[in-house]
């Protein structure tokens, strides 16, 4: 058995993981494990920007940002955490600038900012320019900048190590088990603390903006070890994915003046959100698009609408949205300067995840009891700063602010915590799972089960939900579980066995889909991204609370915990 020993390990090398590593490695021996080469992490695809109330182009305040975040999240946001995020956003953006991040600039040399959905001035009066950006490559620049800093600081990386298990002995975290992709060998990482920063789970759905690798591994790994998942019924659909492909067209396209139009060329968002129109929050815009399509106003009666940029100056499009112009030309053969872009809502972001407090410590019950040595930050975590619906630009803020706080907290923790002994035969559970997969002689393929899962989740548990459809989905999931037990791998080698890793990833997607659907069925109200057609109203009396889903053998058992409300009482959500 090969064992590596560190003070702390960080799983994931996206923005959250790298920021945490930078902080923690100042005072401790830290390793970063990533199934991808770090700069291939999904953070690198983020286009539109990172929200911070710098006030470079007009007056802005972190309190306004905090209010927008809470209202955008349909009041399910933990307000103490949102306050920390919006305050520290300003400082962290400057920190990134000082690390060398090449932001776009105003004519007088300040960081440029643009409007984004749901971000307003004076508590909802009008859109405000808050999103700090580097053209439409903001995430790419963040990831490259942080990776360079990590290299400079000598952080140890284990690239292309796929983590499959968390090690816990007597309720105390003591490491993780990973498969080295190149060799298929198992490795135990023995540590005092583990921070998960494994990103999202959009691959539950057929149409998604998420990379192939976003299979919710971190969430599923901790869930299988008895740790709950919070608010998994809230999954964000971004309004503008390229039709049939789901590839994202950033909200910045609307921030720069793009307009959504239906079959008759009408700017339909005027009917749904009179003040913010096309810049209303994503849940509202996605529902509006679905409604237009259902009522026969999709383009040519089909299931898409248009994103129109043709009235914008072509210089603006090429300077501020170069990458998305390129995507649209490459994938659709359309020049967005001349023709509108066919779009449909695309599965984009997991608001739910591993419950944490604002120091990224994982909390495991209704009383927010922290599990010593276990941390989570970024999209796999739920702090909860996004509540029932995340605003654009707030994920990049979240990963940077809470990645930083988590890294610092982990760095402090390992100074005083002893290294716990490993459980006997730490790799046994993983070895057994691998052997079962290799030995199975069934007739099922990973790809076919995954395809069915994604199509059914898209159909039954996406933008609109009903009890009947969710029930059907649970039955389908039972069937898919059954089929999974008959999976037969074609590749029986150990080196670069991607089929084996995809079998693990599918297992995770099945697990998380079950949590999502069970949590969604229980929540009999509509709030943020969770829209129940059979319960169309928000119900604060019964449902102003977070869901905690625990694994209970083959089933999911649910508990609830209160929302932290400090400054802003829930109001009707009008835009
Ligand atoms: C196309 C697109 C555009 C976006 N644009 C914006 C935007 O403009 N503004 C904004 O705020 N948000 C945006 N978002 C959302 C935001 O980019 C993500 O939520 C955020 O970057 C997630 O960062 P992360 O560090 O949590 O995870 P990621 O960047 O996804 O990184 C996850 C890491 O975990 C590792 N990992 C995963 N599983 C394992 C495993 N089993 N073992 C080892 N390592 C593992 C991966 O290798 C990777 O390094 C966008 C998202 C997409 C998909």
């Amino acid at each position: 058995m090969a064992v590596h020993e560190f003070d702390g390990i960080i799983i994931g090398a996206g923005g959250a993981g790298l920021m945490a590593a930078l902080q923690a490695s100042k005072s401790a021996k830290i390793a970063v494990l990533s199934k991808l080469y770090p700069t291939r992490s999904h953070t690198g695809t983020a286009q539109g920007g990172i929200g911070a109330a710098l006030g470079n182009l007009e007056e802005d305040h972190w309190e306004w940002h905090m209010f927008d975040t809470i209202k955008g999240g349909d009041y399910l946001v933990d307000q103490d955490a949102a306050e920390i995020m919006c305050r520290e956003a300003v400082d962290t953006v400057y920190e990134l600038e000082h690390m060398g991040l090449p932001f776009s600039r105003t004519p007088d040399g300040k960081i440029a900012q643009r409007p984004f959905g749901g971000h307003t001035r004076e508590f909802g009066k009008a859109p405000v320019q808050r999103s700090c950006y580097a053209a439409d490559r903001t995430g790419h620049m963040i990831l490259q900048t942080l990776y360079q800093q990590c290299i400079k600081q000598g952080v140890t990386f284990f690239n292309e190590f796929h983590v499959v298990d968390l090690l816990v002995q007597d309720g105390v975290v003591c490491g993780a088990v990973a498969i080295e992709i190149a060799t298929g060998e198992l490795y135990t990482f023995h540590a005092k603390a583990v921070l998960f920063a494994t990103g999202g789970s959009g691959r539950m759905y057929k149409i998604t903006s998420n990379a192939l690798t976003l299979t919710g591994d971190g969430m599923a790994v901790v869930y299988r070890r008895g740790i709950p998942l919070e608010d998994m019924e809230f999954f964000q659909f971004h309004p503008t994915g390229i039709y049939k492909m789901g590839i994202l067209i950033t909200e910045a396209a609307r921030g720069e003046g793009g307009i959504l139009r239906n079959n008759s060329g009408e700017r339909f968002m005027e009917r749904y959100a009179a003040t913010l129109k096309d810049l209303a929050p994503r849940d509202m815009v996605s529902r509006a698009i679905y409604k237009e399509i259902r009522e026969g106003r999709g383009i040519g009666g089909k299931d898409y609408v248009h994103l129109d940029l043709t009235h914008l100056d072509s210089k603006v499009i090429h300077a501020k949205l170069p990458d998305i112009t390129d995507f649209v030309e490459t994938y659709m053969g359309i020049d967005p300067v001349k023709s509108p872009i066919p779009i449909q809502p695309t599965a984009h972001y997991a608001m739910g995840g591993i419950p944490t407090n604002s120091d990224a410590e994982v909390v495991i019950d209704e009383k927010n009891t922290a599990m010593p040595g276990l941390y989570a930050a970024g999209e796999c975590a739920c702090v909860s700063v996004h509540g029932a619906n995340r605003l654009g630009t707030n994920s990049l803020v979240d990963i940077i602010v809470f990645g930083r706080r988590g890294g610092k907290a982990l760095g402090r923790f390992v100074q005083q915590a002893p290294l716990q002994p490993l459980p006997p035969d730490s790799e046994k559970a993983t070895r057994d799972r691998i052997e079962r997969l290799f030995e199975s002689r069934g007739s099922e393929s990973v790809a076919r089960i995954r395809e069915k899962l994604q199509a059914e989740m898209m159909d039954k548990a996406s933008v609109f939900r009903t009890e009947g459809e969710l029930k059907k989905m649970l039955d389908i999931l039972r069937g898919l579980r059954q089929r999974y037990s008959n999976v037969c791998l074609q590749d029986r080698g150990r080196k670069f066995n991607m089929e084996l890793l995809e079998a693990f990833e599918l297992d995770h997607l099945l697990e998380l889909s079950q949590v999502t659907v069970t949590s969604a069925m229980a929540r009999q109200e509509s709030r943020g991204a969770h829209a129940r057609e059979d319960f169309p109203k928000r119900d604060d009396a019964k449902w102003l609370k977070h869901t905690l889903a625990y694994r209970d053998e083959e089933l999911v058992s649910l508990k609830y915990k209160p929302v932290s409300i400090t400054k802003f009482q829930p109001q009707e959500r009008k835009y």
Side-chain angles (χ1 to χ4, degrees):
M1 190 174 86
V3 180
H4 288 290
E5 201 179 288
F6 287 89
D7 289 332
I9 58 169
I10 289 170
I11 304 171
L18 294 180
M19 194 62 163
L22 262 183
Q23 297 300 330
S25 62
K26 284 181 188 161
S27 57
K29 194 177 157 212
I30 299 294
V32 178
L33 277 60
S34 175
K35 70 177 178 181
L36 297 172
Y37 187 75
T39 51
R40 297 186 66 88
S41 304
H42 194 73
T43 296
T45 69
Q47 303 165 357
I50 172 165
L54 306 185
N56 282 351
L57 289 131
E58 59 184 311
E59 189 182 352
D60 200 4
H61 300 283
W62 66 259
E63 288 94 337
W64 295 355
H65 188 187
M66 177 182 171
F67 171 79
D68 292 338
T69 300
I70 291 163
K71 182 176 170 190
D74 220 350
Y75 294 91
L76 196 72
V77 171
D78 281 333
Q79 299 190 6
D80 47 355
E83 174 163 349
I84 289 173
M85 180 177 83
C86 298
R87 268 173 187 269
E88 294 187 8
V90 176
D91 201 38
T92 14
V93 164
Y94 287 131
E95 186 175 339
L96 290 173
E97 183 189 35
H98 296 162
M99 286 178 190
L101 196 148
F103 281 108
S104 296
R105 298 282 164 181
T106 63
D108 56 349
K110 293 180 181 157
I111 294 174
Q113 297 187 275
R114 61 183 160 207
F116 236 79
H119 289 279
T120 70
R121 66 178 163 81
E122 292 171 77
F123 310 106
K125 282 214 175 119
V128 73
Q129 302 179 75
R130 184 177 292 147
S131 169
C132 311
Y133 60 94
D136 55 1
R137 301 176 185 126
T138 314
H140 173 85
M141 298 305 184
I142 291 179
L143 201 59
Q144 299 289 334
T145 304
L146 290 174
Y147 187 50
Q148 286 163 6
Q149 294 295 319
C150 284
I151 295 297
K152 181 174 158 199
Q153 202 166 293
V155 174
T156 307
F157 281 90
F158 289 86
N159 296 335
E160 302 190 335
F161 275 66
H162 192 120
V163 173
V164 286
D165 202 5
L166 168 71
L167 297 175
V168 183
Q169 177 72 350
D170 301 327
V172 181
V173 171
C174 56
V177 177
I179 302 173
E180 184 184 28
I181 300 177
T183 61
E185 297 295 328
L186 291 187
Y187 285 85
T188 292
F189 288 81
H190 188 192
K192 298 173 183 175
V194 177
L195 184 144
F196 279 86
T198 43
S201 54
R203 285 282 151 181
M204 277 191 294
Y205 293 99
K206 180 175 168 188
I207 302 291
T208 176
S209 67
N210 281 196
L212 285 168
T213 52
L214 289 176
T215 48
D217 299 357
M219 300 178 203
V221 163
V222 302
Y223 177 68
R224 293 168 70 96
R225 286 284 172 198
I227 290 143
L229 295 176
E230 181 174 345
D231 291 344
M232 291 294 284
E233 61 271 44
F234 299 100
F235 202 95
Q236 175 166 83
F237 280 73
H238 190 297
T240 58
I242 293 181
Y243 182 47
K244 287 195 173 160
M245 283 176 256
I247 297 170
L248 193 77
I249 305 288
T250 170
E251 198 169 288
R254 281 170 286 139
E256 298 293 353
I259 288 172
L260 293 166
R261 296 189 192 281
N262 61 19
N263 195 31
S264 53
E266 182 202 10
R267 184 182 194 180
F268 59 86
M269 278 313 297
E270 287 178 335
R271 276 188 279 116
Y272 296 90
T275 309
L276 294 191
K277 303 186 179 83
D278 300 276
L279 285 176
R282 292 175 177 170
D283 56 333
M284 295 178 81
V285 183
S286 288
R287 280 196 293 277
I289 295 173
Y290 262 60
K291 278 198 182 133
E292 291 300 298
I293 291 169
R294 277 188 186 176
E295 288 165 16
R297 293 188 292 278
I299 307 298
K302 294 209 184 117
D303 54 346
Y304 68 91
V305 296
H306 275 147
L307 173 62
D308 185 5
L309 309 182
T310 57
H311 54 288
L312 301 181
D313 186 343
S314 68
K315 282 200 206 103
V316 170
I317 296 181
H318 287 126
K320 294 193 175 173
L321 304 166
D323 273 7
I324 68 125
T325 308
D326 199 42
F327 295 158
V328 174
E329 278 169 356
T330 305
Y331 294 107
M332 308 216 78
I334 284 176
D335 178 358
V337 174
K338 299 196 187 110
S339 318
I341 310 165
I343 58 97
Q344 75 181 121
T346 182
H348 186 57
Y349 185 85
M351 266 76 71
I354 308 166
T356 71
N357 61 24
S358 51
D359 276 329
E361 294 170 326
V362 173
V363 291
I364 53 172
D365 57 21
E366 310 95 302
K367 297 191 195 90
N368 287 319
T369 309
M371 180 154 175
L374 188 59
Y375 298 80
E379 191 170 338
C380 72
C382 179
V383 188
S384 131
V385 283
H386 309 303
N389 171 63
R390 172 174 75 80
L391 292 187
T393 78
N394 267 0
S395 174
L396 293 182
V397 191
D398 170 1
I399 65 177
I400 298 301
V401 167
F402 293 103
R404 189 166 77 153
R405 292 178 73 90
K408 283 184 186 166
L410 182 147
R412 285 192 301 270
F413 176 82
V414 299
Q415 300 298 318
Q416 42 83 19
L419 185 66
Q420 298 291 333
L422 284 171
D425 198 359
S426 55
E427 291 164 6
K428 182 170 187 315
T430 305
R431 239 182 358 252
D432 288 351
R433 267 172 102 185
I434 294 175
E435 289 319 317
R436 251 197 320 277
L437 283 163
F438 274 135
E439 277 161 18
S440 164
R441 291 285 177 272
S443 55
E444 291 291 351
S445 87
V446 170
R448 277 201 303 272
I449 300 174
R450 188 177 53 213
E451 198 181 336
K452 172 88 174 158
L453 169 74
Q454 292 169 333
E456 295 289 357
M457 283 294 285
M458 195 72 201
D459 191 42
K460 300 188 170 56
S462 60
V463 172
F464 284 107
R465 292 135 179 217
T466 60
E467 175 157 344
E469 292 299 290
L470 292 169
K471 262 199 182 131
K472 278 189 208 153
M473 190 65 223
L474 274 187
D475 287 341
I476 290 167
L477 282 167
R478 257 193 299 279
L480 292 176
R481 252 297 152 215
Q482 194 60 41
R483 286 176 60 185
Y484 184 83
S485 61
N486 279 317
V487 152
C488 180
L489 301 183
Q490 304 299 306
D491 182 351
R492 301 191 167 271
R494 297 275 166 171
K495 293 180 183 166
F496 286 105
N497 189 336
M498 300 316 284
E499 198 190 13
L500 173 69
L501 298 176
E502 284 179 28
F504 274 93
E505 292 175 336
L506 173 61
D507 196 350
H508 298 158
L509 290 175
L510 287 167
E511 200 92 78
L512 298 180
S513 299
Q514 194 188 2
V515 175
T516 302
V517 175
T518 309
S519 306
M521 215 158 87
R523 188 175 281 274
Q524 297 185 332
E525 65 157 354
S526 289
R527 182 187 297 273
H530 174 66
R532 285 282 299 256
E533 290 185 278
D534 40 358
F535 296 93
K537 292 228 160 65
R538 193 177 85 195
D539 182 352
D540 286 340
K542 284 200 191 126
W543 289 104
L544 186 57
K545 55 188 180 185
H546 296 293
T547 306
L548 291 177
Y550 294 79
R551 192 163 191 260
D552 185 1
E553 312 248 321
E554 303 291 282
L555 299 172
V556 181
S557 78
L558 301 176
K559 290 185 181 165
Y560 294 91
K561 71 172 180 182
V563 177
S564 146
I565 293 176
T566 56
K567 288 202 161 104
F568 300 105
Q569 286 306 314
Q571 299 168 5
E572 198 192 346
R573 191 161 165 258
K574 268 204 173 135
Y575 283 95

